Amino acid sequence: MNRSKLLAYLQIVRLPALFTAMADIFLGYLIVHRSFTSVLDFVLLLLASGGLYLSGMVFNDVFDRRIDAQERPGRPIPSGRVPLTNAIGLGGLLMAGGVGAASVVGPSSLTVALMIVVAIFAYDWLLKATPLGPIAMGSCRSLNVILGASTAPSLWSGHHIGIALALGVYIVGVTWFARCEANTGRRSKFQAVTGMLLVNTGVMLLISFVLSTKNLGNPLSVLMLFAVILLVINRRLAAAIFDPVGPKIGLAIKTMLLSLPLIDAALVLFVTQRVEYSLAVAALVIPALLLARRIAVT
């Protein structure tokens, strides 16, 4: 496979964003275990999340191929760099691999993986253009965190559920904000401001968790990290809202997505009190940033 064809396949899976999904698995697993009690289960959950996340990116382009042919003809499928049959095969293989890896971990992990499959097709195929689209996308992110926590004795109760829902709200906001790329005028402004409010609401819910939860880590250092993250995100959001041109909107979206490993790292620090774990999660932003120079995150 030559370099240009390889690049096309890396573009269709949006490889930089994979590291944000991996950060969620770190977070979910460490919330319920506090350490890596089973390295094998953890690695399998990383593989499951990666397969499902990448398959969702591929099927997004499969279902968008007609719109992309008109609005984004340079995308891998409409440009012919990735044949449609190859894209469908790749998406199916990644999805099957993700579900298979989850099934090896156990029935709870398999259940969550199948729920993610439903959420992926709900968004990519049915709901993307509707008001429920951002909620479907947010549910994918929430379920990904829960997948990381799926080896917990009690899967549907505990700190990981609240954290997963808060991160889901954050992604609802990111998705809603991203819609302003396709609109102009007052509607675009409304969507951008609404997205900004939802993103900040998601982070504030996480801050509320830190402030209200006792017997875990020192909240002060975590709150300082959140303050820096909010400052960076809102600076980009404000710039895009006041001057809604493509590059500024794209940079705001990229900043919000690539901030996810840092948000997850702050939470890992709080729940485990292990700096090395937090740094390992935060380090996932490095390959994401390097790859994002050549490959679009969205």
Side-chain angles (χ1 to χ4, degrees):
M1 183 182 294
N2 59 43
R3 289 182 63 182
S4 63
K5 188 170 287 290
L6 175 61
L7 180 60
Y9 281 91
L10 295 179
Q11 287 172 337
I12 201 172
V13 299
R14 295 170 179 81
L15 190 61
L18 169 64
F19 298 93
T20 72
M22 294 173 64
D24 291 340
I25 298 300
F26 272 88
L27 173 61
Y29 191 89
L30 289 170
I31 287 172
V32 297
H33 295 294
R34 304 291 195 272
S35 65
F36 297 102
T37 55
S38 172
V39 174
L40 177 60
D41 283 350
F42 174 71
V43 171
L44 286 169
L45 290 172
L46 279 179
L47 292 173
S49 173
L52 293 170
Y53 193 90
L54 296 177
S55 73
M57 296 296 103
V58 175
F59 282 117
N60 178 77
D61 277 21
V62 168
F63 288 113
D64 274 3
R65 64 189 184 277
R66 294 184 179 87
I67 296 174
D68 285 344
Q70 297 177 355
E71 300 178 0
R72 295 173 288 273
R75 289 293 303 162
I77 294 177
S79 68
R81 292 178 296 141
V82 176
L84 178 60
T85 53
N86 287 16
I88 294 172
L90 175 62
L93 184 63
L94 287 167
M95 185 169 282
V99 171
S103 70
V104 175
V105 178
S108 294
S109 300
L110 175 60
T111 298
V112 179
L114 292 174
M115 292 173 69
I116 293 174
V117 169
V118 172
I120 287 170
F121 283 115
Y123 177 78
D124 286 345
W125 185 18
L126 299 173
L127 302 176
K128 184 185 302 180
T130 74
L132 295 177
I135 296 174
M137 179 62 82
S139 70
C140 290
R141 181 65 60 169
S142 294
L143 287 168
N144 193 49
V145 177
I146 295 171
L147 178 64
S150 59
T151 53
S154 180
L155 178 57
W156 300 108
S157 64
H159 294 317
H160 58 282
I161 297 298
I163 289 174
L165 291 174
L167 285 170
V169 172
Y170 179 94
I171 290 299
V172 171
V174 174
T175 309
W176 195 259
F177 180 87
R179 289 187 169 189
C180 70
E181 283 187 298
N183 297 304
T184 58
R186 291 184 178 179
R187 183 179 179 186
S188 174
K189 185 80 72 174
F190 171 77
Q191 289 178 327
V193 172
T194 303
M196 183 179 187
L197 290 173
L198 287 168
V199 164
N200 279 274
T201 298
V203 177
M204 293 308 297
L205 288 171
L206 295 172
I207 290 173
S208 175
F209 163 76
V210 171
L211 291 173
S212 62
T213 306
K214 308 298 183 183
N215 302 320
L216 288 178
N218 177 12
L220 182 58
S221 57
V222 178
L223 294 175
M224 291 175 64
L225 290 172
F226 274 124
V228 173
I229 293 168
L230 279 173
L231 179 64
V232 172
I233 289 173
N234 282 294
R235 177 173 172 268
R236 296 298 187 193
L237 284 168
I241 289 171
F242 285 109
D243 186 16
V245 295
K248 289 187 177 181
I249 294 171
L251 185 56
I253 297 168
K254 178 180 174 181
T255 300
M256 288 185 287
L257 289 175
L258 295 185
S259 293
L260 282 165
L262 303 179
I263 293 172
D264 289 349
L267 292 167
V268 165
L269 178 62
F270 180 66
V271 299
T272 68
Q273 303 181 54
R274 299 284 292 271
V275 175
E276 64 272 25
Y277 291 168
S278 179
L279 289 176
V281 179
L284 292 171
V285 79
I286 296 173
L289 283 169
L290 293 174
L291 288 167
R293 294 178 178 179
R294 293 289 307 277
I295 302 168
V297 180
T298 61

